[in-house]
Amino acid sequence: MTSGTLSVKVNDMLGPYFKGGKGVRQGDPLSPLLFNLAANALAKMVQLGQKSQMIQGLIPEYFEGGLVLLQYADDTILCIQDDIETTLNLKLLLYLYESMSGPKINFNKSEVIMISQDSEKSLRYAEMFNCAIGSRPIKYLGVPVSGNGIQNSNWLPLVEKISKRLDGWKGGALSLGGRLSLLNACLSSIPIYSMSMYLLPKSILEKIDSIRKRFF
């Protein structure tokens, strides 16, 4: 968390603003709490932008003003209508958020993804935000998400993750009981998270089972 402008309230009196000069170490227990304070500020600004009709989100027939913001930990997805004025308003809101809170948005690590997959419009919006053009399926909370079906090739990173987990175990002198415990306690838990949301293709399940059998 970078330093920013702060103020302290004492005896119901708000003191003068001062600039913080030092943050917390990486992994500090206070870090997620401080980040939540900054993230909540962004969510509040987006809500105010929706109420003033400066920002129009997706699926307004289900949510008043549409769905604009999805946040979990440090993952943030902004969903807006295909509209130039709305996009400019959102960019202004992000710049104001940076100026007020202190944390900087890394546009180099951000992506623009259009539902219509229009290459010309994607390029236009990417240039407006100075970020890259992404493609579907997107990966949110470790799971691929797409309006279309998830292809088998999109599940290969899951197979590779399971295979890499075994690299540190193969050299150990483990009994059959030890191998079984690792398989059930660690390796099997990796695909369960994805399987709670999707039916994995049969070919992917066969590859996972083949890896498990070879190790056992």
Side-chain angles (χ1 to χ4, degrees):
M1 180 119 180
T2 57
S3 59
T5 304
L6 308 171
S7 180
V8 178
K9 192 174 184 180
V10 180
N11 296 329
D12 293 331
M13 296 294 293
L14 192 63
Y17 285 94
F18 62 93
K19 189 174 181 63
K22 191 174 183 180
V24 296
R25 293 178 179 271
Q26 185 174 2
D28 191 288
L30 286 177
S31 183
L33 298 177
L34 294 175
F35 179 81
N36 285 340
L37 292 175
N40 288 339
L42 176 61
K44 187 64 176 181
M45 293 175 68
V46 169
Q47 291 176 1
L48 293 175
Q50 287 181 270
K51 289 182 179 180
S52 61
Q53 297 184 349
M54 295 178 58
I55 302 174
Q56 296 293 328
L58 301 179
I59 53 175
E61 60 272 16
Y62 295 104
F63 299 93
E64 184 179 356
L67 177 64
V68 177
L69 185 67
L70 290 173
Q71 285 182 306
Y72 185 84
D74 59 346
D75 288 333
T76 301
I77 297 180
L78 294 166
C79 310
I80 59 173
Q81 296 282 352
D82 179 10
D83 180 71
I84 296 296
E85 183 178 356
T86 298
T87 305
L88 292 175
N89 290 336
L90 177 61
K91 186 176 181 180
L92 175 61
L93 185 146
L94 294 176
Y95 280 138
L96 290 174
Y97 169 74
E98 287 185 338
S99 177
M100 294 170 59
S101 64
K104 302 298 181 181
I105 299 173
N106 193 340
F107 289 100
N108 293 327
K109 291 185 178 180
S110 304
E111 293 181 339
V112 167
I113 301 175
M114 292 200 66
I115 297 178
S116 63
Q117 297 289 284
D118 189 321
S119 57
E120 293 184 2
K121 288 185 177 181
S122 297
L123 180 60
R124 183 191 310 168
Y125 288 123
E127 291 176 347
M128 292 176 64
F129 285 101
N130 194 27
C131 62
I133 300 176
S135 60
R136 292 186 295 177
I138 64 173
K139 196 171 184 180
Y140 184 64
L141 303 181
V143 177
V145 179
S146 176
N148 304 323
I150 306 296
Q151 299 179 358
N152 289 6
S153 58
N154 300 129
W155 292 111
L156 292 179
L158 177 63
V159 178
E160 293 176 359
K161 183 178 181 180
I162 294 174
S163 180
K164 289 181 180 178
R165 180 64 64 89
L166 293 177
D167 291 341
W169 298 348
K170 291 179 180 178
L174 297 173
S175 63
L176 287 179
R179 291 173 182 265
L180 182 62
S181 297
L182 284 175
L183 287 175
N184 292 335
C186 300
L187 205 66
S188 298
S189 63
I190 296 176
I192 286 178
Y193 174 65
S194 299
M195 293 169 67
S196 64
M197 303 179 189
Y198 292 99
L199 288 174
L200 295 184
K202 185 177 179 180
S203 60
I204 298 298
L205 292 175
E206 290 176 350
K207 290 181 179 179
I208 294 175
D209 287 339
S210 177
I211 294 172
R212 287 159 46 91
K213 289 177 182 177
R214 286 199 305 267
F215 175 71
F216 188 66

